[in-house]
């Protein structure tokens, strides 16, 4: 069966201009299959976050082409990029980025409300997903009272509740202990899989590779290795 | 409705309270001046409105009561009475005179009225009589309270001792107050014989405008105004003195209020820039982020305006005791305008911070 591509980079370069130009990405080409759970590993400063920003349409490449869920991002203007993000992308951040004045439920529901969904519908969908992520009893809690693992699960719920085609996770386990991180990643993989979403995780932690369908290694802005699931140890 | 902005505002209670207080001060300043202005206008015009005159006749150039100094001769009354459609013509004499009570000197706008006068008396009398007898004076109640005068007590007007026999209402012009004495007595004080400042004319059955025109055509060097025109003349006189200052202070008030809101929302946006970037990254359009900032500004403005208005209601009750010569009228439309103005200035003040919030790149959400 021929797999379709959810994310494709073709000879992508990203250079940050300054007194000394910084080459964050140098000719990166990659392909993430639709529905896959892909992990891009690399040390700090290897260009992981830049890669994620380009994949989510938060930045534009200096050269090359970026295609996500069939959309040529390099051809889109700012407004259409924002619309693309709204329609197709869910983000999970390293430091959770929950809004501290909102409850766990509201933090998830807001993602639907800003897309014009009615409050009651947004809350119902959010409650269901939070329950699926094991947070049924914590929906009224404010972020300050949640543990790291709970915060990240709320963040995952916020990313998935809009049913995006592509979920981009930036170091989702970096602020968690390994056991909690494992649980969170497993939940992300399973729940995103149930919803048919493609997940791209960037991380410096090589242990995440065991959950991945595809693993790529990024060093100094270049993909130095790429493996499909069969090859992952 | 996403209430993130309201939550931010209420979360930072001290900042919110300080902002609302700043706005409340701006509202109090602006509305207080507007209310004092309305009080002065009301005090000035109420007497004219209720003086029982359809037409006011004075010397040419005497177009309002406060600034009229030219006089009509005694013969003018007979000439006016001879005009068709004139039913009666009551002379009044007005003059700004110094009054002295308990060592305090004040200036009063003294109106001299005849014993038989049906027109020109103060209409609203709180205590005593509205028609002074010889050696008597009717004074405004605010003036009486300010200088501590009661009925049957004396004051000195232009060197003459007069007994207070009545306290009138709605005769307070802020800068001075009306007082009423016998015209004959006032003529003596001024060294005059039978002159009048105005003749208060009752007409029947033709419209006052027509009679006023007829008077002006028949008698040289005389100006005649129907009641509405004379009221408008007097309003114009007050506005010329008051409004430019009032507008200037209102604008300063608005600017101060707007700046306070701008400062609060700007600080809030800078402090929460990560949240705004996150909102952008998770799909919030510029409209949502703009609204989040505006919510904070509008909530602060609403709280400030309501607090300011509550303070003004209290002030309205307190002022007659503390500063009786200030007649402060908190009218509903002024309160509504203050509320609307506060919201508008808050929205204006929050424009720049709101634009900043909409321009924060979503990429910032990925920065740590």
């Amino acid at each position: 069966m021929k797999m379709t591509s959810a994310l494709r980079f073709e000879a992508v370069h990203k250079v940050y201009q300054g007194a000394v130009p910084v080459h964050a990405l140098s000719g990166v080409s990659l392909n993430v299959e639709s529905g896959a759970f892909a992990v891009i590993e690399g040390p700090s400063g290897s260009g992981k976050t830049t890669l994620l920003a380009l994949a989510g349409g938060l930045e534009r490449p200096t050269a090359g082409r970026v295609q996500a869920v069939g959309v040529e991002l390099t051809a889109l203007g700012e407004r259409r990029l924002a619309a693309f993000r709204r329609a197709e992308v869910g983000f999970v951040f390293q430091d959770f980025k929950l809004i501290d004045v909102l409850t766990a439920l509201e933090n998830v529901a807001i993602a639907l409300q800003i897309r014009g969904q009615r409050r009651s519908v947004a809350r119902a969908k959010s409650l269901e997903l939070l329950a699926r992520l094991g947070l049924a009893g914590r929906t009224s809690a404010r972020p300050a009272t949640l543990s790291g693992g709970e915060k990240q699960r709320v963040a995952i719920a916020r990313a998935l509740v809009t049913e995006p085609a592509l979920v981009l996770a930036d170091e989702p386990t970096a602020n968690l202990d390994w056991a909690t991180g494992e649980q969170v990643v497993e939940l992300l993989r399973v729940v995103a899989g149930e919803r048919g979403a493609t997940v791209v995780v960037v991380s410096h932690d090589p242990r995440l590779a065991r959950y991945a369908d595809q693993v790529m290694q990024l060093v100094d802005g270049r993909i130095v290795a790429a493996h499909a699931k069969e090859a992952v140890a | 409705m996403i209430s993130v902005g309201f939550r931010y505002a209420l979360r930072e209670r001290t900042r919110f309270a300080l902002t609302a207080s700043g706005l409340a001060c701006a509202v109090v300043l602006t509305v207080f001046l507007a209310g004092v202005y309305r009080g002065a206008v009301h005090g000035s015009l109420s007497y004219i409105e209720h003086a029982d005159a359809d037409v006011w006749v004075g010397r040419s150039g005497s177009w309002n009561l406060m600034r009229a100094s030219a006089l009509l001769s005694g013969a003018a009354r007979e000439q006016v009475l001879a005009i068709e459609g004139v039913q009666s013509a009551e002379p009044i004499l007005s003059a700004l005179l110094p009054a002295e009570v308990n060592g305090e000197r004040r200036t009063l706008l003294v109106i001299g009225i005849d014993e038989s006068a049906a027109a020109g008396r103060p209409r609203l009398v709180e205590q005593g009589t509205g028609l002074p007898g010889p050696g008597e004076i009717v004074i405004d109640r605010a003036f009486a309270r300010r200088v501590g005068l009661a009925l049957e007590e004396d004051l000195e007007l232009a060197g003459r001792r007069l007994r207070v026999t009545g306290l009138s209402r709605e005769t307070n012009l802020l800068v001075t107050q009306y007082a009423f004495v016998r015209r004959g007595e006032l003529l003596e004080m001024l060294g005059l014989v039978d002159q009048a400042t105005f003749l208060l004319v009752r007409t029947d059955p033709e419209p006052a405008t027509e009679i006023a025109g007829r008077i002006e055509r028949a008698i040289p060097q005389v100006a005649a105004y129907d009641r509405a025109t004379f009221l408008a003349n007097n309003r114009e006189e007050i506005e010329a003195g008051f409004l430019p200052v009032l507008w200037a202070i209102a604008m300063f008030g608005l600017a101060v209020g707007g700046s306070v809101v701008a400062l609060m929302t700007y600080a809030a946006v800078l402090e929460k820039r990560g949240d705004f970037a996150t909102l952008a990254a998770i799909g919030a359009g510029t409209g949502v982020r703009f609204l989040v900032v505006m919510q904070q500004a509008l909530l602060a403005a609403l709280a400030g305006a309501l607090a300011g208005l509550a303070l003004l209601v209290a002030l309205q009750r307190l002022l007659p005791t503390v500063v009786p010569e200030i007649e402060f009228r908190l009218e509903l439309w002024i309160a509504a305008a203050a509320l609307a103005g506060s919201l508008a200035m808050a929205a204006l003040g929050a424009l720049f911070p709101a634009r900043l919030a909409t321009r924060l790149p979503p990429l910032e959400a990925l920065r740590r």
Side-chain angles (χ1 to χ4, degrees):
Chain A
M1 190 176 89
K2 190 186 175 194
M3 298 292 284
T4 57
S5 174
L7 180 66
R8 180 188 290 274
F9 277 43
E10 287 178 19
V12 171
H13 291 260
K14 180 66 185 176
V15 181
Y16 292 105
Q17 297 299 342
V20 181
V22 177
H23 291 259
L25 294 180
S26 304
V28 169
S29 294
L30 60 84
N31 184 39
V32 177
E33 304 293 349
S34 186
F37 188 91
V39 171
I40 298 170
E41 290 173 13
S44 292
S46 59
K48 303 188 298 294
T49 301
T50 300
L51 189 148
L52 210 63
L54 292 170
L58 296 175
E59 280 203 284
R60 293 169 180 286
T62 310
R65 294 174 66 195
V66 178
Q67 197 182 65
V69 288
V71 178
E72 180 68 44
L73 299 188
T74 30
L76 299 184
E78 286 303 324
R79 275 175 175 273
R80 294 184 68 189
L81 270 178
F84 163 78
R85 280 198 303 273
R86 202 160 30 244
E88 306 290 357
V89 184
F91 283 98
V92 178
F93 305 101
Q94 174 184 335
D95 47 359
F96 325 120
K97 296 278 193 267
L98 298 179
I99 294 170
D100 60 2
V101 292
L102 301 180
T103 64
L105 175 61
E106 289 165 339
N107 261 292
V108 180
I110 196 172
L112 291 169
Q113 284 180 270
I114 59 181
R115 286 165 174 81
Q117 292 223 13
R118 283 173 48 196
R119 188 169 173 266
S120 56
V121 176
R123 287 174 76 91
K125 284 185 179 177
S126 305
L127 274 172
E128 188 187 329
L129 189 52
L130 282 169
R132 175 71 188 85
L133 288 162
L135 290 170
R138 303 291 281 148
T139 55
S140 303
R142 292 278 163 90
T145 65
L146 295 171
S147 69
E150 287 173 330
K151 283 180 193 171
Q152 199 56 297
R153 281 185 280 160
V154 174
I156 288 169
R158 181 178 65 187
L160 291 175
V161 76
T162 57
E163 299 183 359
L166 184 62
V167 175
L168 302 173
D170 182 23
E171 303 270 13
T173 60
N175 283 345
L176 307 173
D177 60 70
W178 172 239
T180 309
E182 262 195 312
Q183 287 170 9
V184 164
V185 169
E186 177 61 11
L187 266 173
L188 174 61
R189 193 183 67 80
V190 171
V191 179
E194 288 167 3
R195 291 168 171 250
T198 304
V199 180
V200 177
V201 175
V202 299
S203 176
H204 67 278
D205 189 341
R207 289 177 293 185
L208 291 184
R210 75 172 71 163
Y211 298 96
D213 302 313
Q214 289 178 258
V215 179
M216 283 158 264
Q217 284 175 321
L218 190 67
V219 176
D220 292 336
R222 297 171 198 276
I223 298 284
V224 294
H227 317 280
K229 186 170 190 172
E230 294 74 28
V232 177
Chain B
M1 172 67 86
I2 300 152
S3 59
V4 181
F6 295 140
R7 303 275 185 93
Y8 281 151
L10 296 174
R11 176 75 173 269
E12 297 296 332
R13 289 201 183 106
T14 308
R15 183 163 58 199
F16 182 76
L18 287 173
T19 308
S21 305
L23 282 158
C25 288
V27 166
V28 167
L29 172 72
T30 310
V31 175
F32 180 71
L33 284 168
V36 167
Y37 164 70
R38 294 296 299 165
V41 169
H42 185 78
S44 168
L45 302 186
S46 179
Y47 168 68
I48 296 164
E49 200 162 3
H50 297 117
D52 279 332
D54 299 321
V55 175
W56 288 68
V57 179
R59 280 289 289 252
S60 294
S62 294
W63 59 280
N64 69 68
L65 184 56
M66 278 191 77
R67 301 277 183 219
S69 54
L71 299 169
L72 293 165
S73 68
R77 182 173 182 237
E78 303 310 319
Q79 289 175 290
V80 169
L81 281 171
I83 290 168
E84 193 189 340
V86 172
Q87 203 178 44
S88 64
E90 309 273 6
I92 63 162
L93 181 63
S94 67
L96 282 164
L97 290 179
E100 198 168 327
V101 192
N102 304 327
E104 261 192 81
R105 270 190 301 184
R106 297 287 166 126
T107 301
L108 293 172
L109 178 58
V110 183
I111 307 288
I113 50 178
D114 284 350
E115 184 187 3
S116 58
R121 300 182 194 185
R123 169 62 78 77
L124 301 164
V125 176
E126 191 170 82
Q127 281 180 44
T129 179
L131 186 64
E136 293 176 356
I137 185 167
V138 175
I139 57 173
D140 177 77
R141 63 171 182 171
F143 174 73
R145 254 180 259 166
R146 185 72 190 93
V147 296
L149 264 182
L151 282 183
E152 301 305 322
E153 290 184 340
D154 292 348
L155 69 75
E156 215 170 281
L157 185 70
R160 184 177 291 225
R161 205 156 192 80
L162 297 170
R163 174 141 299 182
V164 177
T165 54
L167 299 180
S168 61
R169 284 195 290 127
E170 298 192 10
T171 43
N172 182 2
L173 300 159
L174 183 63
V175 287
T176 183
Q177 289 79 34
Y178 285 103
F180 301 87
V181 297
R182 281 286 179 88
R183 186 167 70 103
E185 212 149 14
L186 185 55
L187 283 167
E188 276 176 33
M189 286 185 225
L190 299 172
L192 301 170
V193 185
D194 188 25
Q195 287 92 335
T197 317
F198 286 100
L199 292 168
L200 310 191
V201 172
R202 297 300 303 268
T203 62
D204 190 49
E206 291 167 273
T209 324
E210 230 165 85
I211 308 279
R214 200 175 293 161
I215 292 169
E216 283 190 345
R217 284 192 296 275
I219 310 170
Q221 294 192 317
V222 153
Y225 304 98
D226 63 80
R227 187 187 340 206
T229 308
F230 197 63
L231 278 169
N233 290 349
N234 281 274
R235 180 176 282 117
E236 189 185 325
E237 175 67 34
I238 300 167
E239 284 176 354
F242 253 105
L243 281 186
V245 179
L246 187 67
W247 275 113
I249 294 174
M251 289 300 118
F252 281 125
L254 286 173
V256 168
S259 305
V260 168
V261 172
L263 195 65
M264 177 200 86
T265 46
Y266 184 64
V269 169
L270 289 185
E271 198 173 276
K272 296 288 177 190
R273 61 186 298 154
D275 282 5
F276 285 104
T278 303
L279 282 170
I282 67 170
T286 52
V288 170
R289 283 172 281 155
F290 191 85
L291 186 68
V292 168
V293 179
M294 281 294 162
Q295 280 175 340
Q296 296 175 69
L298 294 179
L299 188 66
L302 187 68
L306 292 178
L309 291 173
L311 206 65
L312 286 161
V313 169
L315 206 59
Q316 192 180 25
R317 292 185 181 176
L318 201 68
L319 271 178
T321 320
V322 184
V323 198
E325 63 265 57
I326 294 181
E327 190 185 335
F328 169 64
R329 291 174 72 86
L330 181 58
E331 295 171 1
L332 191 63
W333 75 268
I334 294 180
L339 190 62
S342 303
L343 294 175
M345 76 181 167
L348 203 64
L351 263 184
F352 171 70
R355 277 172 63 85
L356 176 67
T358 61
R359 289 175 177 193
L360 286 172
L363 184 64
E364 280 201 21
L366 289 174
R367 294 193 182 128
R368 293 176 273 275

